[in-house]
Amino acid sequence: MAWMLEGSAQGTESPVLQGQEGIPEESGEDGLFESFRLLQIDVECECREREPLPTGSETWCSKNVQRKQRHWEKIVAAKKSKRKQEKERRKTSRAENPGICPQHSKRFLRALTKEKLLEAKHSGPRLCVDLSMTHHMSKKELSRLAGQIRRLYGSNKKADRPFWICLAGLTTDGPLYEECVRMNDGFSSYLLDMTEEDCFSLFPLETLVYLTPDSEHALEDVDLNKVYILGGLVDESVQKKVTFQKAREHSVMTARLPIQEYMVRHQNEKNYHSEILAINQVFDILATYFETHSWPEALKKGVSSGKGYVLRNPVG
């Protein structure tokens, strides 16, 4: 091995060592020393390459990097300018309109919504969604029902005078609960009542009003002493009059929305007319009426044109 090192040292000379004076020949310990010294030089060179380039040394940066840097600086400058303009605009608006309240923070709005919902539990109208008939429904229909529950709760949070909502017949180990958790963010922390009990055992029967399109009686008003029940069923999933028959079995009062009293059938290409609405649409009608005491305005909001009905006397 020593002979091979000596032969290599005599036959070739490292280009790094050319032109340097006072360097011993690579033989034995001196050769090992020189190898380590060369490694040290390589490491030092690599470290210098990794050091940040001095400002203005454009020769060390590619044109692509310079272009991206300039583009990013323009974006940052534009955002700063926009924030400054928005701040000045708000300042001017507050000076010109001192009576207008400033925009509230999201935290304040969430706290206000929570306060309104908790107040509705004690003094607001009550709505119960009967979810005890989900065994009639397919996986797809359960997903649609979970979406309707989400929209119903969302509308209730936005209402000035919200209802207190109860989801009755909802089993935590059932497919509907799993679908609600999957589709609805924060479902387990919704500000409403969830129970596995049937709605007919939760409240006195004389306080219940089951809302069904098959009822002979039109709903005239929203009574704070009543509990209004919606059948949690997707339209095409069950046979007709299921909710109506269930209410009759328990000797519970029924009512329908006054669609026939305030709306008329409208001709359409499919000749389709239906008074069956999703639970969130029925809730929108009830909530709007409770705030406005106007059935035409409430029905206009909840009954879409696709149902084939229009107001008898249109409202503005």
Side-chain angles (χ1 to χ4, degrees):
M1 180 64 67
W3 178 82
M4 293 176 64
L5 289 173
E6 291 176 0
S8 300
Q10 294 175 1
T12 60
E13 184 177 359
S14 174
V16 179
L17 300 179
Q18 291 180 0
Q20 298 184 7
E21 297 179 0
I23 299 178
E25 297 181 356
E26 288 187 6
S27 60
E29 294 180 356
D30 292 339
L32 292 175
F33 170 79
E34 186 61 30
S35 298
F36 283 114
R37 186 167 179 269
L38 292 175
L39 288 174
Q40 184 178 4
I41 294 173
D42 291 340
V43 171
E44 290 177 355
C45 292
E46 185 176 357
C47 290
R48 293 193 191 98
E49 292 176 357
R50 293 180 180 178
E51 289 178 0
L53 296 177
T55 306
S57 302
E58 297 186 0
T59 55
W60 292 93
C61 298
S62 66
K63 293 183 179 180
N64 189 37
V65 172
Q66 296 175 34
R67 180 181 58 80
K68 290 182 178 180
Q69 180 66 23
R70 289 193 297 268
H71 180 65
W72 175 250
E73 290 174 354
K74 289 181 180 179
I75 293 176
V76 173
K79 288 183 177 180
K80 288 183 178 180
S81 177
K82 186 177 180 180
R83 285 196 297 267
K84 185 177 180 180
Q85 292 176 3
E86 181 64 18
K87 187 176 180 179
E88 292 294 332
R89 185 191 66 80
R90 292 179 181 177
K91 184 177 179 180
T92 304
S93 178
R94 286 195 297 266
E96 295 176 352
N97 305 283
I100 299 178
C101 297
Q103 292 184 348
H104 297 295
S105 65
K106 291 183 178 180
R107 179 180 298 180
F108 175 83
L109 295 176
R110 285 195 297 267
L112 182 62
T113 299
K114 182 178 180 180
E115 182 181 351
K116 290 194 302 181
L117 291 175
L118 293 177
E119 183 180 352
K121 184 174 184 179
H122 303 288
S123 59
R126 292 172 292 175
L127 182 79
C128 182
V129 183
D130 182 8
L131 300 175
S132 62
M133 298 172 286
T134 53
H135 56 277
H136 289 282
M137 301 164 63
S138 65
K139 172 76 172 178
K140 180 180 178 180
E141 291 164 344
L142 289 175
S143 297
R144 291 183 59 188
L145 179 57
Q148 293 176 14
I149 293 173
R150 181 186 67 248
R151 289 188 286 272
L152 187 155
Y153 183 71
S155 296
N156 195 44
K157 288 200 305 180
K158 297 176 182 178
D160 293 333
R161 304 174 67 188
F163 283 56
W164 182 251
I165 299 171
C166 175
L167 303 181
L170 180 63
T171 56
T172 55
D173 58 348
L176 177 60
Y177 183 86
E178 295 177 356
E179 197 67 14
C180 286
V181 172
R182 185 184 70 85
M183 293 184 60
N184 307 339
D185 293 337
F187 176 74
S188 58
S189 60
Y190 276 9
L191 287 176
L192 45 72
D193 286 331
M194 299 184 194
T195 177
E196 297 183 1
E197 294 186 54
D198 192 271
C199 58
F200 301 105
S201 61
L202 287 172
F203 310 97
L205 295 181
E206 62 272 15
T207 64
L208 299 181
V209 179
Y210 212 120
L211 298 178
T212 168
D214 301 308
S215 177
E216 298 176 356
H217 307 285
L219 184 65
E220 296 179 1
D221 197 4
V222 175
D223 190 346
L224 292 175
N225 297 317
K226 299 293 185 180
V227 179
Y228 297 94
I229 303 176
L230 300 180
L233 296 168
V234 175
D235 300 350
E236 66 271 14
S237 62
V238 295
Q239 300 176 356
K240 294 182 179 180
K241 297 188 176 182
V242 171
T243 55
F244 179 73
Q245 292 174 358
K246 188 174 183 180
R248 292 189 61 181
E249 290 174 1
H250 292 84
S251 301
V252 169
M253 185 186 305
T254 63
R256 58 174 172 79
L257 295 174
I259 295 177
Q260 300 174 12
E261 284 69 22
Y262 293 93
M263 308 188 81
V264 294
R265 291 191 174 190
H266 179 67
Q267 292 184 354
N268 53 63
E269 296 179 356
K270 298 181 179 180
N271 194 27
Y272 174 78
H273 305 87
S274 175
E275 297 182 34
I276 300 176
L277 305 175
I279 59 173
N280 59 292
Q281 294 172 326
V282 176
F283 174 77
D284 287 341
I285 294 173
L286 293 176
T288 303
Y289 173 79
F290 188 64
E291 292 182 2
T292 63
H293 293 283
S294 169
W295 280 118
E297 187 172 343
L299 292 170
K300 179 182 178 181
K301 182 174 182 179
V303 181
S304 64
S305 58
K307 292 296 181 179
Y309 283 88
V310 295
L311 288 174
R312 191 185 305 272
N313 300 310
V315 295

